[in-house]
Amino acid sequence: MLRRLRLSRARQSLARSIPSRRVAPRPPAARLSARLSPVEMLEQRTLLSTISGTKFQDVTGDGFSGDDAPLAGWTIRLYQDDGDNQFDPATDMLADTQVTASDGTYQFSGLAAGTYFVQEEIQPHWVQTGGPSFYAITLPDENTDVTGQDFANFQLITISGTKYEDHNGDGVRDAEDQGLAGWTIYLDGNGNGMLDAGEASTVTDADGNYSFSDVAPGSYAVREQSQAGWMQTTADPAPFAASSGSDVTSVDFGNHIEPIAIAGQKFHDLDGDGRKELGESGLAGWTVYLDANGNGVLDEDEVSTISDETGHYAFAGLEPGVYRVRELPQAGWVQTTANPADLDLIAGQTVMDIDFGNFQTVAIRGQVYDDRAGDGVLDAGDQGLEGWTIFLDTNDNGVLDAGERSTVTDADGSYIFSEVGPGNYFVREIVPAGWVRTSTSPVAVETESGSDLVGINFGNFRLITISGVKFNDLNGDGVRDEGEPVLGGWVLFLDTNGSGELDDDEPSTTTDADGSYSFTGMGPGTYRVREVSQAGWVQTTPLNSIPALSGVDLSGIDIGNFERITIRGTKFEDHNGNGVRDAGDDGLAGWTLLLDANGNGVLDDGELSTVTDADGNYAFADLGPGTYRVREVAQAGWVRTATPADVIATSGVDVSDADLGNFRLITIRGTKFEDQNGDGMPGPEDTGLAGWTLFLDANNNGILDAGERTAVTDSQGRYDFGDVGPGIYRVREMIQAGWIQTTPAPETVTASSGVNAAGI
């Protein structure tokens, strides 16, 4: 059979290699006999041929192999070509029909020279696995027997089984194990144990039965989709290979309901945030109980357990019902996790994450002192200040509010807050008149379970004067240069809380005619001199924090400002791509422009951007000192031809001519055709030539050089060069051997924005 198959395929290859000729189709010999003379008929019979083959059952579905069996009773059809060398049952003539014999063979005899197509009729529930969908056979003008035109088919199978509840969990279906409806069974094609998109699946019926019908050849792994509260008691069926016509039955799955359990961990919540995190260990010896009556107390008849050395606890073997899990508190600890919600548990349900976190309360202590050096450090000789109020500013508003904890320093300036729970705290002092802080206030602290916070100290000192000048920083360099004028009438203030805004209780003053200002009666420490900003101005000098020394005035604290500017221009279509806005170059609306702060040519988060209006105009207003690069967000099909120079801002001097030009990329296209009459003009009989290389001859030397763009014609001879920018282009072809060009070399193409060049 293998030898016959190889011979058959060799003959097919030979038949297909014969050049196609358009000849009138010949009818079978039986139909010719009525028209031929006896001599002609004798001559014709010597030229008649046969086509034969065998129909097989492909048992394994792998195509032709040694274990295939013949199939009788299958219909094989013979069509005669209508002259177009293309098989189409609607137009080709049905020349004969055969039914395979008991050994699966068929034969078409008495065939004249010509082209024939052999096709089998597929039966329901079968798929073709061997041989082509049809055979194309060309019989020459001589006796030719074409054999081995074989077909192989696989009979689709059914895979079925039952999903059942395995009451005793032994993996065997007993008499009391009833079917389970509504379970998903699937064919695990990739063997990953999951139902993926495209994989066949079905749902068990009321009796737990399922089936997959019309299953094709292949290897199959039948799997179930698990459901919460159930565990599979039967092993997954081994993958199997489908055999033609052999259904696979009794692929069953058993499942058992899981018991109920509640478990969790008692943990040391170091940061008190109510979450179990890395490094937070379990707490051993804590009592956890099931509060049956919901009174929050462990009663004698209620179930309880003790956390182990890792803090874990568990309640097992529970019946379905509602449970409240609670802990028994211990002195000096606070619970940081909320009490778990009631658990309404059903059969087979296990809850594993009912955790309890606890925080051991701490103390916060420190000292308020007279900071003689004004350095914010408690040095030797610095005396404690008695009677100063310290408070925990829970809302960080700088004011001792009702409900906030406070205390008063003792004779040596010490204070303490005891039994403090988890959280973030702002420790503040209330400063009496005539004093100023030298240390940070508030002190922001975060408590950690069992770890007291000590050394939260506050220093205070005597008053000084702070002064300077407000000036117009023309170049925005943050330095008062010669010739830069002063600014009178500006409001300056001491930003004591670091908010950047002038608050009601913060010292303020207004610069006089010569731009000078001063603050008197200030205590040593760290000061922030700030201005009340004015519209259109930006501060250029650093927002420094100024350390002061006791009794030493701070002078020369100058503040410079830059008057903001506007950069504007027009985004235009550069029709000739020369980078200059000429007459007729219209503005482009809807383009996004940006100030490219980092010079990477991309609009990044935080960079300013705007969109051009209907006339292509744009503007960036309220710009401070610096160097600005106006760039565009590129749009597909466009190329930039003009980019404005970098703008170095000068205080109060706007820039109005930062224009950007763009050229819309074009396409150059045409057709490569066979000029049948050589007249250099495309005619109706001239067909396109596929596979010819054309190129843009950048240097006009008539040769395809490295770097020059190329295109290859398609099946109809068409080509195109897309995304072509401004410039002058010459389209050339790569001449092929045996051909001459009949059309003159195409004219040069001068690209114009958005205007495609066709018909080249």
Side-chain angles (χ1 to χ4, degrees):
M1 176 179 174
L2 179 60
R3 180 175 178 273
R4 183 174 70 231
L5 178 60
R6 289 175 177 167
L7 178 60
S8 170
R9 292 177 177 170
R11 287 176 175 172
Q12 292 176 53
S13 175
L14 175 62
R16 293 167 182 161
S17 68
I18 298 174
S20 174
R21 294 181 299 167
R22 292 188 175 271
V23 296
R26 297 184 180 182
R31 302 184 183 182
L32 285 172
S33 62
R35 309 176 195 173
L36 302 177
S37 68
V39 174
E40 290 173 328
M41 289 179 63
L42 177 62
E43 183 182 65
Q44 180 65 41
R45 280 197 297 271
T46 64
L47 299 176
L48 299 181
S49 304
T50 64
I51 298 174
S52 63
T54 303
K55 182 81 182 73
F56 295 98
Q57 180 176 18
D58 184 3
V59 176
T60 58
D62 58 353
F64 297 110
S65 60
D67 55 358
D68 296 338
L71 286 172
W74 282 66
T75 298
I76 311 296
R77 294 190 177 94
L78 177 71
Y79 293 87
Q80 188 168 14
D81 182 27
D82 62 0
D84 63 356
N85 289 326
Q86 300 290 329
F87 178 44
D88 185 353
T91 58
D92 293 329
M93 182 178 71
L94 178 61
D96 199 358
T97 299
Q98 295 286 330
V99 176
T100 58
S102 60
D103 61 354
T105 60
Y106 71 90
Q107 178 175 296
F108 298 103
S109 303
L111 303 178
T115 297
Y116 296 88
F117 303 104
V118 180
Q119 185 184 47
E120 70 169 353
E121 180 182 315
I122 303 296
Q123 296 188 16
H125 307 294
W126 289 77
V127 293
Q128 184 178 346
T129 56
S133 59
F134 66 90
Y135 288 97
I137 304 161
T138 300
L139 298 177
D141 294 331
E142 60 184 12
N143 286 330
T144 302
D145 290 337
V146 179
T147 63
Q149 309 302 287
D150 301 337
F151 296 94
N153 288 70
F154 179 96
Q155 187 175 9
L156 302 175
I157 69 168
T158 295
I159 301 172
S160 62
T162 302
K163 174 76 188 143
Y164 64 91
E165 182 175 358
D166 188 2
H167 286 281
N168 60 10
D170 63 355
V172 177
R173 188 178 186 187
D174 303 312
E176 70 276 8
D177 293 342
Q178 73 275 14
L180 292 172
W183 283 66
T184 297
I185 310 296
Y186 64 98
L187 299 182
D188 189 9
N190 56 12
N192 68 347
M194 298 173 58
L195 175 55
D196 301 307
E199 291 181 337
S201 67
T202 187
V203 177
T204 58
D205 63 16
D207 298 320
N209 298 319
Y210 73 90
S211 67
F212 296 94
S213 58
D214 287 340
V215 177
S219 180
Y220 295 92
V222 186
R223 297 292 181 263
E224 71 170 2
Q225 196 168 49
S226 60
Q227 294 189 17
W230 294 79
M231 62 181 182
Q232 185 175 326
T233 58
T234 52
D236 280 336
F240 60 88
S243 180
S244 178
S246 299
D247 293 340
V248 180
T249 61
S250 300
V251 184
D252 300 339
F253 293 87
N255 282 71
H256 183 70
I257 297 178
E258 297 176 348
I260 297 176
I262 300 173
Q265 186 182 24
K266 181 80 185 112
F267 67 92
H268 192 171
D269 190 2
L270 296 176
D271 57 5
D273 63 355
R275 297 192 302 269
K276 177 73 170 64
E277 296 167 324
L278 185 65
E280 294 182 338
S281 59
L283 291 172
W286 283 67
T287 299
V288 181
Y289 64 100
L290 300 179
D291 189 10
N293 57 14
N295 65 351
V297 177
L298 174 57
D299 300 309
E300 291 183 2
D301 59 345
E302 290 178 336
V303 177
S304 66
T305 187
I306 305 295
S307 60
D308 64 16
E309 64 276 4
T310 64
H312 288 93
Y313 73 91
F315 298 98
L318 301 176
E319 296 292 330
V322 177
Y323 294 92
R324 302 174 191 86
V325 188
R326 299 292 183 263
E327 71 169 2
L328 196 63
Q330 295 187 16
W333 293 77
V334 293
Q335 183 177 327
T336 57
T337 52
N339 279 328
D342 292 354
L343 302 174
D344 189 359
L345 302 183
I346 61 174
Q349 191 170 358
T350 298
V351 182
M352 301 296 295
D353 56 354
I354 307 302
D355 300 337
F356 291 89
N358 283 71
F359 180 96
Q360 191 173 13
T361 58
V362 303
I364 300 175
R365 57 168 57 92
Q367 187 180 20
V368 178
Y369 61 95
D370 185 353
D371 187 3
R372 299 182 185 277
D375 57 2
V377 177
L378 179 57
D379 302 313
D382 289 347
Q383 302 297 314
L385 295 172
E386 182 180 6
W388 285 58
T389 298
I390 308 298
F391 66 101
L392 300 181
D393 189 9
T394 55
N395 58 9
D396 193 24
N397 67 349
V399 178
L400 175 55
D401 299 309
E404 291 180 334
R405 293 183 64 179
S406 66
T407 188
V408 177
T409 58
D410 60 16
D412 65 355
S414 299
Y415 71 91
I416 183 171
F417 294 98
S418 58
E419 295 186 0
V420 178
N424 295 314
Y425 295 92
F426 299 94
V427 187
R428 292 187 187 273
E429 66 174 346
I430 296 178
V431 181
W435 293 85
V436 63
R437 289 187 298 269
T438 60
S439 56
T440 302
S441 180
V443 178
V445 296
E446 181 179 0
T447 57
E448 183 175 348
S449 181
S451 298
D452 292 344
L453 296 169
V454 299
I456 311 302
N457 302 327
F458 295 91
N460 297 269
F461 208 74
R462 61 187 177 91
L463 306 177
I464 62 168
T465 296
I466 302 172
S467 62
V469 173
K470 184 88 181 76
F471 66 96
N472 188 346
D473 189 2
L474 296 179
N475 58 9
D477 63 355
V479 178
R480 187 183 181 192
D481 303 312
E482 184 177 357
E484 291 183 333
V486 298
L487 294 172
W490 282 66
V491 175
L492 304 182
F493 63 98
L494 295 180
D495 189 12
T496 57
N497 59 10
S499 67
E501 302 290 338
L502 174 56
D503 299 310
D504 291 341
D505 59 346
E506 290 178 334
S508 66
T509 187
T510 302
T511 59
D512 58 20
D514 62 1
S516 62
Y517 72 92
S518 66
F519 293 96
T520 60
M522 298 293 105
T526 299
Y527 290 92
R528 308 174 188 88
V529 182
R530 299 291 183 262
E531 66 182 31
V532 174
S533 58
Q534 295 188 17
W537 292 80
V538 61
Q539 185 174 329
T540 58
T541 48
L543 300 176
N544 293 326
S545 297
I546 307 165
L549 296 176
S550 176
V552 179
D553 292 340
L554 296 171
S555 60
I557 311 303
D558 299 338
I559 300 177
N561 281 70
F562 179 96
E563 188 174 4
R564 297 177 184 272
I565 69 167
T566 296
I567 299 175
R568 57 172 55 89
T570 302
K571 178 76 183 147
F572 65 93
E573 182 172 3
D574 189 0
H575 287 282
N576 59 11
N578 65 351
V580 177
R581 188 179 186 190
D582 303 309
D585 288 347
D586 300 323
L588 292 171
W591 282 67
T592 298
L593 304 184
L594 65 133
L595 296 181
D596 190 10
N598 57 12
N600 66 351
V602 177
L603 176 56
D604 301 305
D605 290 341
E607 291 182 336
L608 292 176
S609 66
T610 187
V611 178
T612 58
D613 65 14
D615 297 320
N617 298 321
Y618 74 92
F620 291 99
D622 292 330
L623 300 179
T627 299
Y628 295 94
R629 304 173 188 87
V630 183
R631 297 294 183 264
E632 67 184 31
V633 174
Q635 294 190 17
W638 293 79
V639 62
R640 187 172 62 249
T641 58
T643 302
D646 292 353
V647 175
I648 300 175
T650 299
S651 179
V653 181
D654 294 338
V655 176
S656 59
D657 58 354
D659 298 340
L660 298 93
N662 280 70
F663 180 95
R664 186 185 305 179
L665 300 174
I666 69 168
T667 296
I668 300 175
R669 59 168 59 91
T671 303
K672 175 69 187 158
F673 64 92
E674 182 176 358
D675 191 359
Q676 300 285 349
N677 59 10
D679 63 352
M681 298 292 292
E685 74 283 357
D686 294 341
T687 58
L689 292 173
W692 281 64
T693 299
L694 293 95
F695 64 99
L696 298 181
D697 189 8
N699 56 10
N700 197 25
N701 66 351
I703 299 173
L704 174 57
D705 300 306
E708 292 181 333
R709 291 185 62 180
T710 64
V712 178
T713 59
D714 64 13
S715 60
Q716 299 182 34
R718 297 174 301 194
Y719 74 91
D720 67 67
F721 294 93
D723 293 336
V724 175
I728 298 175
Y729 298 92
R730 305 167 186 86
V731 185
R732 299 290 184 265
E733 69 176 355
M734 292 287 293
I735 300 297
Q736 297 188 13
W739 294 78
I740 61 173
Q741 184 176 330
T742 59
T743 53
E747 297 179 1
T748 58
V749 176
T750 300
S752 180
S753 177
V755 181
N756 294 330
I760 310 301

